[in-house]
Amino acid sequence: MKKSKVKWIGYLLTIYHFFARKLEKHKALDPSLEFERIVIYSTTALGDLMFNTPAIHALKLRYPGASFALVSSEKNRPLVEGSEWFNRVFYWDNKVRNCHALIRSLRRFRPQLTVILHSYMPYDILCAVLSGSRYIIRDNYLVDSSELNSWINAYSAPFDGHLIQRKLNLLSILGCETKDPSMRIPVHFNRAPQDLSKRIGFQMGASESMRCWPVARFVELANRLTASGYRIVLIGGAKDMPLAGQFMELASESVAAQTEILIGKTSLTELLTVIDGLDVLVTGDTGPLHLAVALKTSTVSLYASAEPEHTGPYQDRERHITLRVDDIPGEIRQPLQLIEADDVCIHVTTLAKK
């Protein structure tokens, strides 16, 4: 983030506040305050939205009579459109060129409290202040500048723990419950029908190669699982379709016969049904991992760059196994290849038998 950008936005907010003075700047929040109109920002990736659902649930419990507006991204639309959690949903791409449209919509909502759970600074603060919100709370990340903290009534401090708990702890200043870390699905979807066969999901794609277990490793795992009677279900978005081709090229005829390819064939809500019907999902650090956790589907998740104690499964720990590569040689493009298929297989079969 350019310091000059933050500086100029700070100047703009100072001028606005001089004339409008709607924000209760520097005023402390406390549990006695009541709010009727609350805006929540969650404008980043699908996994981030899932991490935010415990905090959103805590806010809903704390203010049961309030109207809630969500600011989210188009990529999250299938998970929030029509949700009973929110009275209004506004979609924003985190770009300054579209701030004016968002601000105009938010002004009509007349927010009293804005809770920024995950968005991009400095434009989220710009929109929150110019929308006329009286109070602003923000979950600050390490990459965020502290120069605009004076425009926030409360913000998170450095925390060596899970992101979900950090967000819940932040909301304790409002009197919110902080002990329920359960992620939830905001929209209705069809539950999977009962299936007596053992189905193991493979999510092979991820946002970057460092988060991907090599396709050859997935094939090795499939060899072991199908020999024991398990069926394989390949899931993912359209961009993961080349991985399905690679998988089938490496797979034997017997493995291919016991593999169902759903990559690029499901909507996000249909994917929820698929994951709900799995016995175990094997995946890197991806959005479908967090959907599976929320759906109480067991997972074996593989980590290289991120710390699972901060961003891995936080609820129902007995359902989830995380494997992490700690010492990554600099020349390896896919460090997860250091995790052996035999190790993953042991954990998958143990979870599938529960």
Side-chain angles (χ1 to χ4, degrees), residues 51-92:
F51 283 146
N52 292 336
T53 58
I56 296 171
H57 180 70
L59 284 165
K60 295 281 290 180
L61 289 179
R62 171 63 184 84
Y63 303 104
S67 294
F68 285 84
L70 176 72
V71 179
S72 195
S73 61
E74 279 291 341
K75 67 183 74 173
N76 290 330
R77 182 186 285 267
L79 278 182
V80 297
E81 187 74 16
S83 171
E84 295 177 353
W85 293 14
F86 312 110
N87 301 89
R88 296 291 306 275
V89 179
F90 305 111
Y91 299 99
W92 178 49

Side-chain angles (χ1 to χ4, degrees), residues 96 124 148 211 217 230 235 298:
V96 67
D124 54 355
L148 294 179
R211 298 187 180 197
R217 290 290 198 211
Y230 293 95
I235 65 171
S298 295

